[in-house]
Amino acid sequence: MSAPTRKRTSTTKRQITVRAAQVAVGVVVLAGWELGAASGVLDPFFFSRPTAIAGQIVTWLTEGDIFRHLWITLEEAMLALLIGAAAGLGVGFLLARAPLLAEILDPYIKMLNALPRVVLAPIFLLWFGLGIWSKVAFGFTLVFFIVFFNTYSGIREVNRVLVDNARMLGAKEGQLLRHVFLPSALSWIFSSLHVSVGFAIVGAVVGEYLGSSEGIGFLISQAEGVFDTTAVFAGMVVLSAVVLLIDVGVHRVERYLLRWRA
Amino acid sequence: MSAPTRKRTSTTKRQITVRAAQVAVGVVVLAGWELGAASGVLDPFFFSRPTAIAGQIVTWLTEGDIFRHLWITLEEAMLALLIGAAAGLGVGFLLARAPLLAEILDPYIKMLNALPRVVLAPIFLLWFGLGIWSKVAFGFTLVFFIVFFNTYSGIREVNRVLVDNARMLGAKEGQLLRHVFLPSALSWIFSSLHVSVGFAIVGAVVGEYLGSSEGIGFLISQAEGVFDTTAVFAGMVVLSAVVLLIDVGVHRVERYLLRWRA
Amino acid sequence: GSGSGGGEVRLGIGGQPLLVFMPTTLADRLGYYREEGLNVRLEDLGSGAKALQALQGGSVDVVSGYYDHTIQMQAKNRPTTAFVGMLRYPSFVFAVSPKASKPINSFADLKGAKVGVTSPGSSTDFFLKNMLVRHGLAATDAAPQAIGGDASAVAAMENGQVDAAVMLDPAYSTLVKRIGGQNVKVLSDTRTLDGVQRDLGVTSYPASALYSGSSWLTDNPETARKLARAIKRALDFIHSHSGAEVAAKMPPEYSAGDAAIYAQAIEAAKSAFSPDGRISPEGAEAVYGVLRQFTPEIANAKIDVSKTFTNDYVPAN
Amino acid sequence: MAEITLDGISISYPATNGGEPYTAIRDVRMNVPAGRFVSVVGPTGCGKSTLLNAVAGLIEPSTGQVLIDGQPLRGRNARAGYLFQQDGLLPWKTVLDNVALGLQLRGVPTEERHERARDWIKRVGLTGFERSYPHQLSGGMRRRTSVAQTWIVDPDILLMDEPFGALDVQTRQIMENELLQLWTGSGKTVLFVTHDLDEAIALSDEVVVLAAGPGSHPVGRYEVTLDRPRDLLNIRTQPAFTEIYASIWADLRSEVMTSYERANPQAHLDD
Amino acid sequence: MAEITLDGISISYPATNGGEPYTAIRDVRMNVPAGRFVSVVGPTGCGKSTLLNAVAGLIEPSTGQVLIDGQPLRGRNARAGYLFQQDGLLPWKTVLDNVALGLQLRGVPTEERHERARDWIKRVGLTGFERSYPHQLSGGMRRRTSVAQTWIVDPDILLMDEPFGALDVQTRQIMENELLQLWTGSGKTVLFVTHDLDEAIALSDEVVVLAAGPGSHPVGRYEVTLDRPRDLLNIRTQPAFTEIYASIWADLRSEVMTSYERANPQAHLDD
Ligand SMILES: Nc1ncnc2c1ncn2[C@@H]1O[C@H](COP(=O)(O)OP(=O)(O)OP(=O)(O)O)[C@@H](O)[C@H]1O
Ligand SMILES: Nc1ncnc2c1ncn2[C@@H]1O[C@H](COP(=O)(O)OP(=O)(O)OP(=O)(O)O)[C@@H](O)[C@H]1O
Ligand SMILES: [Mg+2]
Ligand SMILES: [Mg+2]
């Protein structure tokens, strides 16, 4: 009982509206920021100003050095996202299907989730060294829990009738996973992936921030050390742009996998 | 089509099993840790040892000073959880019900979610001062996004027939929220709250870590400064215990609100 | 740890942009490590404590950090030795916020005040305690407030979120630039010999240095010697050039915030940099004295200060 | 009190899996005067629910419009109550609260709405299950809860999509009686979808037969002239009944055959 | 090929809202020999679905046990196919994939299972909708997809809970014919729940009438001795049919009345 075709013709029109409004929002925010900085309402020492930030980004792009840093950070974030999501999914599924185990481990998982990762930095360095893997581990500890909790809940929310029906048709546990639980929990999983994309980047940057010699987090931390707010913000803008790119990827996959939706 | 009564009698037996297994897991981990530390497999410089940590906690408890710090951190975490969850819920609901607005703001929300909060510490200090509010703000930026994304997805997942039925019975938008969307999205919201409890604590601790004069994060950072790993871990253990307490609260509320479940 | 093969030296810095560690980066920029035949990889660990932990964990070979940590490590039975000093004065500036909650004209006025330190348990924290005690107060009379070492510290001072703070450059210079020197009251400035003599009662007080595990030193004497030589040359460069000239040799990002301030901060710090890379035993004892006073663990341990540093690797000249 | 006019409405659904959009109903013109009880019958999948959704204002027609008392319908039809084909009970509300929902939404005080809900629960034979949640009910019990939920708000227009299909014959007759009682003299306009031709004839003033889809539309409209009040138990044996039954049946049968053959070209039908 | 024995089973549901547990069926003893077609009728909410769930192994009886060929049933009944009362189609699979699911789970290669699924889709009259998703189908079309999904795996035991309730009379007859074709000579044991007594008698070897709940149990078992193969179109006019109909009807009627009066003490029934 979903929407009939009528709306179809207006799709492109709607998209234009959306894009226009997005640009408008961006322009208003940036203009306000620039004006605020120019008029002294926003202290450029803390906030820099959009034109300066844009200038910094252009410089970086022309110098080209930024790509190396960006690539490192991206690599860390993507690895954290992939490994964290895979582990979260796996453990989430396992525990959702083994309620006794879930009940036993429940307090431990919640305790681990509450550990401040920043404090664990020395241990991460100890185990994973100063290379990308300590940053991946950082991101992992964020992504894992987010994906885990949602996968777990998503699988427990699956309609009983669907499960019973599939079982009566002969589905074994693994087949149930593939044909019933996973597709049914997909919207849960993707919801957590959208949050995770951001957190994977945050994990990578914070990891770099705590010890590194390259990556956007390193750039930002150097800039902070010398009070170069412009470079700090430029680094964050670059990151944000990258996040949007990754999220477009996630969104594509989501749309493909959920193509059966109304 | 849910479970019949047969299982009822074994409920308490099951609970005993669970508790016993939990204790067993804890004991094994702690014993392994202690042995590892004693035998030198685990470097006490990085990991301390359970007995020492327990000793430290006992000292803190008898001295009593810990309670002041704990209370501060708790206050920050609870405020971050409450405000962050409320805002995430509100915005999540708003955007789920105003798809055009959601589409327009989508990239901006994702960008904000990817900002490394640690880097923003100076701005938080500037805006919120060194008191609890800068830590609350930290926790807020974590909790908000987690709750927001799940609320948003949860509300969009609501069964169309339920919505249509309620609307045909005369429900206005606000009533739909109360009677249909909110109850239907509850399991989504609680899934995010379980993650958020941990992140609220993390936010508070990291905030304290970056600038403060009290709170568990301050204690931990002080201990780190003098390489007192025992106190660092003791601080984290105290936090974990507190998280479990808060989560028990969340769980109670959840069970009450979802009492209609099978 | 990774990549220690091929003669690579992994050098962890406790906050690369901090001026106190400048010679480490400068030597790299000037190519001195390479000229010594070393392949040095600089890793920024953000804080001295993190850098030390990285050393203990084996992710770096050598640390450019604060000398105090070698004493703390001896107390923990993890012998570490500083083998070239970079800074002979601690270079802390004890400044009063223009918006302090009450008038503060001397250390005595600090009773009950909130005083910013980079982080609790850091050298700035010990410096604060030391100052309080030296001026007849108890170490706990002022509440230490962690404010970090960068923009947060500047913000906290500007807005009066702390009454005073122990600051480092370039944060201090930045603060002065932003609110004007006349608005910043300085209770103590240990960037100069005068300040060090007046406030610490010594002529030298080793601060930043290169240190490493004692066993690494015995195993790699040649590398240590080369590192010390490179640092010595960087120190020479600093003393023989103007602040602006030195700034020009540092990574351009470091001047990006405000080139003038950066050059000026270097200029102001010049006299604090060691002329010869040596660590004075008298200064080392002074550091130990402070630590012993405020850290029960060190007070209780048997410390042999002479094992915490060595001048054997520093070129005679 | 409310006249329904379908002014040449067509409804197409977009095809998600590539291919053409599917036009469920095409150019349906129909007028249901206020107070009339009209049954809609037709082969499965022809577009009955689609039609009801359009009258309820839940689907906007691709072309044409729905008029209520001559006014074009915009958005939800506020004067209609709709008993959906699927289960629309709120899982988190008890039977009592589900039945009372419409009253609650109108701001009726708790006491009063519970009393009225209890009365309705009694009328659909669910006394004793007031505090049960929907998942604790059998299919037929859920259906009856929905019936009570829809009827309690006393709408001017009643849209019902196979309301009694899941009930045993006896219970069904009881519910039919309740429906007639509710409707008689109330001036309500009723659109009633059923697969039971007996039921359609026994209850209605008029039976509309829809063609097989795609592009379904009414192919026959039969006035049921049996006297009211009707005795549901014995009506099926009246000659007028069997006569009208036979003529609708012939129509319907051919539509079903068309529908089936369209979807199953080479099938051999055993009858 | 599979005999079902219910050895004094009772099933109670815990009461979530305080109060007593609800005993849906109590001490049901019943034996269904292999190859027999048994219909189960009874007032709505009496426990028919509960009974089928027990035979399917989805609910473990509180007391007693289910025996299949004399073996106590543990967990899911692997020899049974079950057409649920509720919709069990997977929303993310097309009609084709839903119908082919059982074969896919058994590892039948794609080509072959699609071919067989297409054949079944044709038999239930859904050709042309292979690539539609369940939400794009009407209620009756979904139901027929479920039928095909259950039948394609060719189980020894067929459990069907009101399979044809949502279909128009014609389509229903076509499906009934398909069912008889499938069953005849196959040796399958069938448990068939329906509200349509005509249907129950026309199809079955035996009709079991369940008492009104709570604590329901069989109150009557009627052998249907009509010859096979049966002509579904005309069977209803045979004297043997009407005779058996009348006796079951009387039984059923009194059960429904009991059930209704239990839930509705002061109701006036108009018949
Ligand atoms: N969301 C949708 N997308 C595409 N097609 C749809 C959608 N909803 C319904 N249809 C199609 O429209 C046609 C009519 O559906 P509708 O539900 O109105 O039938 P119906 O007459 O109510 O059938 P039944 O008696 O089985 O309930 C069907 O062929 C169906 O496939
Ligand atoms: N999960 C449950 N919790 C509590 N009671 C239940 C539950 N499921 C079913 N019941 C009760 O058991 C009884 C029998 O239910 P069942 O679904 O078996 O009836 P049925 O004969 O299939 O009815 P229908 O013809 O309406 O489908 C009902 O009174 C119902 O309220
Ligand atoms: Mg329909
Ligand atoms: Mg049932």
Side-chain angles (χ1 to χ4, degrees):
Chain A
M1 302 301 131
S2 68
T5 43
R6 192 187 48 84
K7 278 175 187 159
R8 214 197 212 173
T9 47
S10 54
T11 308
T12 52
K13 211 160 124 198
R14 182 192 166 93
Q15 266 182 358
I16 294 171
T17 318
V18 168
R19 286 277 169 273
Q22 281 174 344
V23 171
V25 169
V27 166
V28 167
V29 169
L30 291 180
W33 184 353
E34 185 76 38
L35 279 179
S39 68
V41 177
L42 286 175
D43 187 340
F45 177 72
F46 291 105
F47 295 97
S48 187
R49 46 200 297 168
T51 44
I53 295 169
Q56 174 73 70
I57 294 176
V58 170
T59 313
W60 277 347
L61 292 182
T62 46
E63 281 176 0
D65 202 33
I66 184 81
F67 294 111
R68 180 173 61 91
H69 293 291
L70 188 55
W71 175 243
I72 296 276
T73 306
L74 252 180
E75 202 177 341
E76 292 159 358
M78 293 295 286
L79 282 172
L81 187 65
L82 290 180
I83 303 177
L89 263 169
V91 178
F93 182 75
L94 181 76
L95 293 195
R97 298 301 294 154
L100 191 68
L101 191 62
E103 240 181 285
I104 293 170
L105 295 184
D106 175 81
Y108 296 104
I109 290 175
K110 292 201 171 123
M111 277 164 67
L112 288 180
N113 181 40
L115 292 186
R117 282 73 165 165
V118 173
V119 177
L120 297 176
I123 293 179
F124 285 2
L125 282 190
L126 177 70
W127 281 339
F128 304 107
L130 268 168
I132 66 165
W133 290 105
S134 57
K135 287 85 189 176
V136 173
F138 247 101
F140 175 92
T141 60
L142 298 171
V143 172
F144 171 80
F145 288 100
I146 296 173
V147 175
F148 163 77
F149 278 101
N150 260 27
T151 305
Y152 181 71
S153 305
I155 283 174
R156 295 177 54 124
E157 286 290 305
V158 174
N159 186 346
R160 288 296 309 160
V161 180
L162 300 194
V163 180
D164 284 343
N165 189 30
R167 282 179 61 214
M168 289 311 295
L169 288 171
K172 309 268 170 305
E173 185 70 18
Q175 293 176 317
L176 274 185
L177 166 62
R178 183 160 124 55
H179 294 289
V180 184
F181 288 114
L182 212 54
S184 174
L186 262 192
S187 51
W188 286 81
I189 294 168
F190 274 103
S191 170
S192 71
L193 285 186
H194 286 301
V195 197
S196 296
V197 170
F199 275 91
I201 290 274
V202 170
V205 169
V206 173
E208 289 168 359
Y209 204 75
L210 295 176
S212 65
S213 54
E214 48 194 353
I216 301 281
F218 174 76
L219 282 191
I220 292 179
S221 104
Q222 298 298 299
E224 275 214 317
V226 296
F227 305 95
D228 183 0
T229 322
T230 303
V232 171
F233 275 91
M236 295 207 279
V237 169
V238 170
L239 283 181
S240 303
V242 165
V243 164
L244 288 190
L245 278 184
I246 305 182
D247 198 75
V248 165
V250 172
H251 194 74
R252 284 264 163 83
V253 176
E254 177 176 16
R255 221 173 41 195
Y256 174 74
L257 289 177
L258 294 178
R259 64 190 178 285
W260 54 273
R261 285 289 176 91
Chain B
M1 300 301 132
S2 67
T5 44
R6 194 188 45 86
K7 278 177 187 158
R8 215 194 212 175
T9 46
S10 54
T11 307
T12 52
K13 211 161 123 199
R14 181 192 166 92
Q15 265 182 0
I16 294 170
T17 318
V18 168
R19 285 276 170 274
Q22 280 173 346
V23 171
V25 170
V27 166
V28 167
V29 169
L30 291 180
W33 184 355
E34 186 77 36
L35 279 180
S39 66
V41 176
L42 286 175
D43 186 341
F45 180 75
F46 288 101
F47 295 97
S48 188
R49 44 202 299 171
T51 44
I53 295 169
Q56 174 70 70
I57 293 176
V58 170
T59 314
W60 276 347
L61 292 181
T62 46
E63 280 175 359
D65 202 32
I66 184 82
F67 295 110
R68 180 173 60 91
H69 293 289
L70 187 55
W71 174 242
I72 296 276
T73 305
L74 252 181
E75 203 178 339
E76 292 158 357
M78 293 295 285
L79 282 172
L81 188 63
L82 290 180
I83 304 178
L89 263 170
V91 178
F93 181 75
L94 181 75
L95 293 196
R97 298 300 294 154
L100 192 68
L101 192 62
E103 241 182 284
I104 293 171
L105 295 184
D106 175 81
Y108 295 105
I109 291 175
K110 293 200 170 125
M111 276 165 69
L112 287 179
N113 181 40
L115 292 187
R117 283 73 164 164
V118 174
V119 177
L120 297 177
I123 292 178
F124 284 4
L125 281 191
L126 185 71
W127 280 343
F128 303 106
L130 272 166
I132 66 166
W133 290 106
S134 57
K135 287 85 191 175
V136 172
F138 249 100
F140 176 92
T141 60
L142 298 170
V143 172
F144 171 80
F145 289 100
I146 296 173
V147 176
F148 163 77
F149 278 102
N150 260 27
T151 307
Y152 181 72
S153 305
I155 283 176
R156 295 176 55 125
E157 286 291 305
V158 174
N159 185 344
R160 287 297 308 162
V161 180
L162 300 194
V163 180
D164 284 343
N165 190 28
R167 282 178 62 212
M168 289 312 295
L169 288 170
K172 309 268 169 308
E173 185 71 18
Q175 293 175 317
L176 275 184
L177 166 62
R178 184 161 124 52
H179 294 288
V180 185
F181 289 114
L182 212 53
S184 173
L186 262 191
S187 51
W188 285 83
I189 294 168
F190 274 103
S191 169
S192 71
L193 284 185
H194 287 301
V195 196
S196 295
V197 170
F199 275 91
I201 291 275
V202 170
V205 170
V206 173
E208 289 168 359
Y209 202 76
L210 295 176
S212 68
S213 55
E214 46 194 355
I216 301 282
F218 177 80
L219 280 191
I220 291 181
S221 130
Q222 192 169 35
E224 278 215 317
V226 297
F227 309 100
D228 182 358
T229 321
T230 304
V232 171
F233 274 90
M236 295 207 279
V237 170
V238 170
L239 282 181
S240 304
V242 164
V243 165
L244 288 189
L245 279 185
I246 304 182
D247 198 75
V248 166
V250 171
H251 194 75
R252 284 262 163 84
V253 175
E254 177 177 13
R255 221 174 39 197
Y256 174 75
L257 289 177
L258 294 179
R259 64 190 177 284
W260 54 272
R261 284 288 176 93
Chain C
S2 62
S4 60
E8 192 185 62
V9 181
R10 294 163 305 159
L11 205 169
I13 308 176
Q16 203 171 357
L18 289 178
L19 227 43
V20 294
F21 301 124
M22 184 174 71
T24 325
T25 309
L26 187 61
D28 187 47
R29 300 282 304 176
L30 292 171
Y32 292 164
Y33 298 130
R34 223 177 319 111
E35 288 169 22
E36 295 293 338
L38 293 176
N39 176 14
V40 172
R41 182 182 171 90
L42 299 182
E43 297 278 0
D44 186 3
L45 272 308
S47 80
K50 290 259 162 21
L52 171 58
Q53 282 163 336
L55 176 74
Q56 298 295 356
S59 1
V60 297
D61 305 311
V62 178
V63 167
S64 174
Y66 264 68
Y67 164 71
D68 335 13
H69 286 157
T70 60
I71 299 176
Q72 295 193 29
M73 284 308 99
Q74 197 175 73
K76 292 204 176 282
N77 230 343
R78 300 217 163 218
T80 39
T81 310
F83 59 91
V84 55
M86 295 183 287
L87 206 63
R88 56 176 167 171
Y89 310 146
S91 298
F92 303 131
V93 181
F94 207 128
V96 178
S97 163
K99 293 198 183 144
S101 59
K102 58 175 186 178
I104 295 176
N105 296 307
S106 68
F107 283 105
D109 296 332
L110 286 176
K111 198 172 167 72
K114 282 197 278 184
V115 181
V117 297
T118 53
S119 74
S122 65
S123 333
T124 52
D125 191 10
F126 285 122
F127 182 72
L128 163 65
K129 293 193 166 73
N130 190 19
M131 287 300 108
L132 292 173
V133 172
R134 286 179 78 91
H135 292 89
L137 300 172
T140 51
D141 274 351
Q145 179 96 38
I147 55 173
D150 42 35
S152 340
V154 175
M157 282 291 274
E158 264 188 55
N159 299 336
Q161 281 157 358
V162 289
D163 299 315
V166 181
M167 299 186 77
L168 283 168
D169 262 331
Y172 174 70
S173 305
T174 307
L175 178 69
V176 167
K177 161 84 187 312
R178 281 179 58 77
I179 62 176
Q182 71 282 0
N183 293 323
V184 190
K185 197 177 304 148
V186 174
L187 293 182
S188 159
D189 182 349
T190 59
R191 291 179 297 178
T192 60
L193 179 60
D194 277 359
V196 175
Q197 272 181 327
R198 183 164 49 94
D199 295 320
L200 295 167
V202 285
T203 56
S204 155
Y205 189 95
S208 66
L210 290 197
Y211 63 79
S212 184
S214 305
S215 56
W216 183 88
L217 267 187
T218 28
D219 292 347
N220 302 278
E222 250 337 283
T223 310
R225 222 177 299 281
K226 288 173 178 170
L227 281 173
R229 199 152 44 220
I231 294 294
K232 168 71 168 48
R233 289 176 64 191
L235 290 170
D236 289 344
F237 184 89
I238 293 170
H239 287 296
S240 59
H241 291 80
S242 74
E245 284 166 329
V246 176
K249 291 293 178 195
M250 291 297 281
E253 306 90 273
Y254 288 18
S255 310
D258 188 325
I261 292 188
Y262 192 61
Q264 192 187 317
I266 294 177
E267 194 63 52
K270 257 180 167 180
S271 67
F273 282 111
S274 161
D276 52 10
R278 293 171 125 6
I279 293 167
S280 92
E282 171 223 20
E285 281 297 341
V287 173
Y288 171 51
V290 172
L291 285 178
R292 188 177 45 193
Q293 204 174 346
F294 304 109
T295 322
E297 193 186 7
I298 291 177
N300 297 335
K302 229 173 73 59
I303 303 284
D304 180 353
V305 178
S306 70
K307 291 231 169 76
T308 60
F309 70 95
T310 168
N311 289 320
D312 296 352
Y313 299 89
V314 185
N317 218 348
Chain D
M1 302 183 283
E3 180 188 32
I4 305 167
T5 311
L6 304 184
D7 185 9
I9 64 170
S10 307
I11 292 178
S12 334
Y13 293 100
T16 32
N17 250 351
E20 295 285 285
Y22 185 89
T23 303
I25 58 179
R26 177 172 298 133
D27 202 26
V28 174
R29 293 180 189 282
M30 201 166 130
N31 184 58
V32 183
R36 200 168 172 88
F37 196 125
V38 174
S39 286
V40 180
V41 299
T44 135
C46 70
K48 303 181 290 297
S49 304
T50 305
L51 193 75
L52 256 56
N53 277 329
V55 176
L58 297 173
I59 297 189
E60 208 172 320
S62 319
T63 62
Q65 57 184 350
V66 177
L67 304 167
I68 304 297
D69 276 346
Q71 296 298 316
L73 179 65
R74 296 257 164 282
R76 169 181 90 82
N77 187 341
R79 300 175 64 188
Y82 187 177
L83 184 67
F84 289 81
Q85 186 171 15
Q86 296 114 306
D87 196 350
L89 295 177
L90 298 177
W92 41 88
K93 287 193 187 281
T94 59
V95 167
L96 184 67
D97 287 336
N98 260 303
V99 172
L101 180 61
L103 299 180
Q104 186 177 9
L105 296 173
R106 281 165 182 70
V108 176
T110 317
E111 277 299 304
E112 185 189 336
R113 71 166 185 263
H114 279 181
E115 194 180 315
R116 284 170 62 185
R118 280 213 184 76
D119 182 48
W120 270 106
I121 289 171
K122 195 163 82 184
R123 284 162 86 168
V124 299
L126 285 174
T127 301
F129 291 94
E130 292 89 349
R131 299 172 68 196
S132 298
Y133 288 103
H135 74 89
Q136 299 176 308
L137 301 180
S138 78
M141 291 159 83
R142 274 201 293 276
R143 206 68 192 140
R144 284 180 281 157
T145 311
S146 292
V147 168
Q149 189 184 53
T150 311
W151 289 356
I152 198 173
V153 294
D154 197 29
D156 291 346
I157 300 175
L158 262 182
L159 307 173
M160 280 180 280
D161 203 343
E162 297 184 42
F164 309 138
L167 306 179
D168 61 90
V169 193
Q170 283 287 338
T171 310
R172 188 171 186 145
Q173 235 165 56
I174 295 167
M175 301 300 292
E176 288 168 2
N177 259 313
E178 286 288 345
L179 174 57
L180 282 189
Q181 259 180 37
L182 180 80
W183 172 74
T184 307
S186 70
K188 286 187 202 309
T189 316
V190 178
L191 270 185
F192 189 90
V193 171
T194 181
H195 283 310
D196 185 339
L197 203 46
D198 273 12
E199 184 175 66
I201 299 170
L203 297 177
S204 330
D205 297 322
E206 178 179 334
V207 176
V208 174
V209 178
L210 285 189
S216 176
H217 53 269
V219 286
R221 308 184 54 172
Y222 301 84
E223 198 82 15
V224 181
T225 47
L226 301 167
D227 291 341
R228 295 194 186 264
R230 298 180 185 164
D231 173 5
L232 290 187
L233 206 61
N234 301 315
I235 197 171
R236 286 163 179 82
T237 53
Q238 292 186 18
F241 185 98
T242 40
E243 191 178 305
I244 197 163
Y245 187 101
S247 62
I248 300 180
W249 177 241
D251 242 25
L252 189 57
R253 200 178 124 87
S254 88
E255 282 308 322
V256 171
M257 286 302 116
T258 315
S259 161
Y260 197 76
E261 270 156 13
R262 238 175 237 165
N264 193 358
Q266 308 101 306
H268 295 280
L269 301 178
D270 302 55
D271 52 332
Chain E
M1 301 184 284
E3 179 188 32
I4 305 167
T5 312
L6 305 183
D7 185 10
I9 65 169
S10 306
I11 293 178
S12 334
Y13 293 101
T16 33
N17 250 349
E20 296 285 285
Y22 185 89
T23 304
I25 58 180
R26 177 172 298 133
D27 203 26
V28 173
R29 292 180 189 282
M30 201 166 129
N31 184 58
V32 183
R36 202 167 171 87
F37 195 124
V38 175
S39 286
V40 179
V41 300
T44 133
C46 71
K48 302 179 291 297
S49 303
T50 304
L51 193 75
L52 257 56
N53 277 328
V55 176
L58 297 173
I59 298 189
E60 209 172 321
S62 320
T63 63
Q65 55 184 351
V66 177
L67 305 166
I68 303 298
D69 277 345
Q71 297 298 314
L73 179 64
R74 297 257 164 282
R76 169 181 89 83
N77 186 339
R79 300 176 63 188
Y82 188 176
L83 183 67
F84 288 81
Q85 186 172 15
Q86 297 113 306
D87 195 351
L89 295 177
L90 297 178
W92 42 87
K93 288 192 187 284
T94 59
V95 168
L96 184 67
D97 287 336
N98 260 301
V99 172
L101 179 61
L103 300 180
Q104 187 178 8
L105 296 173
R106 281 165 183 71
V108 176
T110 316
E111 276 299 305
E112 184 189 338
R113 71 168 185 262
H114 278 181
E115 193 179 318
R116 284 169 64 185
R118 279 213 185 79
D119 183 48
W120 270 107
I121 289 171
K122 194 162 83 183
R123 283 162 86 167
V124 299
L126 284 175
T127 302
F129 291 93
E130 292 90 348
R131 300 173 66 196
S132 297
Y133 288 103
H135 74 89
Q136 300 177 309
L137 301 180
S138 79
M141 291 158 82
R142 273 201 293 275
R143 205 67 193 142
R144 283 180 281 157
T145 311
S146 293
V147 168
Q149 189 184 51
T150 311
W151 288 357
I152 199 172
V153 294
D154 198 29
D156 290 345
I157 300 175
L158 261 183
L159 308 173
M160 280 181 279
D161 203 343
E162 297 185 43
F164 310 137
L167 306 180
D168 61 90
V169 192
Q170 282 288 338
T171 311
R172 188 171 188 147
Q173 236 166 53
I174 295 167
M175 302 300 292
E176 288 167 3
N177 260 313
E178 286 288 346
L179 173 58
L180 282 190
Q181 259 182 39
L182 180 79
W183 171 75
T184 306
S186 70
K188 286 186 202 308
T189 316
V190 179
L191 271 184
F192 189 90
V193 170
T194 179
H195 284 309
D196 186 339
L197 203 47
D198 273 13
E199 185 176 65
I201 300 171
L203 297 177
S204 329
D205 296 323
E206 179 179 334
V207 177
V208 175
V209 179
L210 285 190
S216 178
H217 52 270
V219 286
R221 306 183 56 170
Y222 301 85
E223 197 84 15
V224 181
T225 47
L226 300 168
D227 292 341
R228 293 191 188 267
R230 297 179 187 167
D231 173 5
L232 290 187
L233 206 60
N234 301 315
I235 198 171
R236 286 162 179 82
T237 53
Q238 294 186 17
F241 185 97
T242 41
E243 192 177 304
I244 198 163
Y245 188 100
S247 62
I248 301 180
W249 179 241
D251 241 25
L252 189 57
R253 202 178 122 90
S254 88
E255 282 308 324
V256 171
M257 287 300 115
T258 316
S259 161
Y260 198 78
E261 270 155 14
R262 238 174 236 165
N264 192 0
Q266 308 101 307
H268 295 280
L269 300 178
D270 303 55
D271 52 331

